[in-house]
């Protein structure tokens, strides 16, 4: 098992709101990614996903480019926010879901 998967602590139950589950413009991979970002963000006090896009690509077993494509699409659909956290020296980028549900 890779170090990334050993570090990763997924939720056992991730709920999909019907607006995401039946979103006509999202693939299943994008829906799962969104749900996981939402789940990871809710566990964090800052409501940001605590993992970098590179680390997320390891967790999902897809290329870094795939993660970047999913992020770009979710941002374009106004479902995800990307920003920079200058206080976190380990992961400066942050991902945060927008409450569109």
């Amino acid at each position: 098992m890779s170090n990334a998967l050993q570090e990763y602590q997924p939720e056992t139950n991730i709920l999909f709101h019907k607006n995401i589950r039946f979103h006509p413009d999202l693939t299943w991979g994008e829906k799962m990614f969104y749900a996981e970002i939402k789940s990871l963000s809710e566990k964090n006090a800052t409501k940001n996903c605590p993992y970098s896009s590179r680390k997320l690509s390891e967790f999902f077993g897809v290329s870094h480019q795939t993660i970047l494509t999913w992020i770009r699409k979710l941002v374009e659909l106004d479902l995800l926010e990307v920003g920079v956290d200058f206080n976190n020296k380990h992961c400066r980028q942050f991902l945060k879901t927008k409450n569109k549900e």
Side-chain angles (χ1 to χ4, degrees), residues 21-82:
R21 186 173 45 240
F22 299 115
H23 198 295
D25 297 325
L26 294 176
T27 65
W28 277 106
E30 293 160 344
K31 292 173 186 182
M32 291 297 296
F33 181 73
Y34 175 85
E36 193 61 36
I37 295 300
K38 185 164 184 68
S39 174
L40 290 168
S41 299
E42 289 174 352
K43 292 179 5 182
N44 191 330
T46 61
K47 300 299 182 195
N48 297 339
C49 174
Y51 298 108
S52 69
S53 55
R54 289 225 181 258
K55 198 60 101 168
L56 289 167
S57 72
E58 293 176 34
F59 297 158
F60 277 85
V62 297
S63 72
H64 184 239
Q65 185 58 50
T66 296
I67 294 294
L68 295 178
T69 300
W70 289 351
I71 291 171
R72 183 174 46 252
K73 187 170 182 182
L74 292 167
V75 167
E76 288 171 0
L77 292 172
D78 202 31
L79 296 169
L80 195 67
E81 176 185 345
V82 178

